[in-house]
Amino acid sequence: MALIITDECINCDVCEPECPNEAIYLGVEIYQIDPHKCTECVGHFDEPQCVQVCPVACIPIDPQFVEDRETLWQKYRRLQLELTKPVVL
């Protein structure tokens, strides 16, 4: 499952730097989460860090991106491979 930031977001800026996958970014009005990068912190932490630091509890599971724990692990591994892949110019 990926997480989603709802319109209750107050743009407090605390979630973005906590994301180990750099999945959180500032959208047009509020912060957003890229579901293709969000692993709910699987592979990094026991709990989603953005949820832990959010002062208004506006980061639920995104019902459009329901994934089991194994799928989140596979996404984590793919993201890690992308990070270590050499850049060819």
Side-chain angles (χ1 to χ4, degrees), residues 2 6 12-13 30 34 39 44 54-55 67 77 81 83-84 87-88:
T6 66
C12 66
D13 304 319
I30 60 173
D34 180 344
T39 63
H44 297 282
C54 181
E67 300 167 303
R77 288 183 199 111
L81 283 173
L83 285 174
T84 60
V87 177
V88 178

Side-chain angles (χ1 to χ4, degrees), residues 49-80:
Q49 297 301 288
C50 59
V51 173
Q52 297 296 316
V53 299
C54 181
V56 293
C58 67
I59 309 176
I61 292 172
D62 186 342
Q64 293 187 353
F65 290 94
V66 177
E67 300 167 303
D68 62 20
R69 192 153 180 87
E70 180 56 36
T71 303
L72 293 171
W73 269 106
Q74 290 172 7
K75 189 188 305 185
Y76 164 76
R77 288 183 199 111
R78 177 184 54 81
L79 290 168
Q80 292 304 302

Side-chain angles (χ1 to χ4, degrees), residues 27-40:
V28 176
E29 294 183 25
I30 60 173
Y31 278 92
Q32 298 190 9
I33 298 176
D34 180 344
H36 303 291
K37 290 184 174 181
C38 178
T39 63
E40 293 185 44

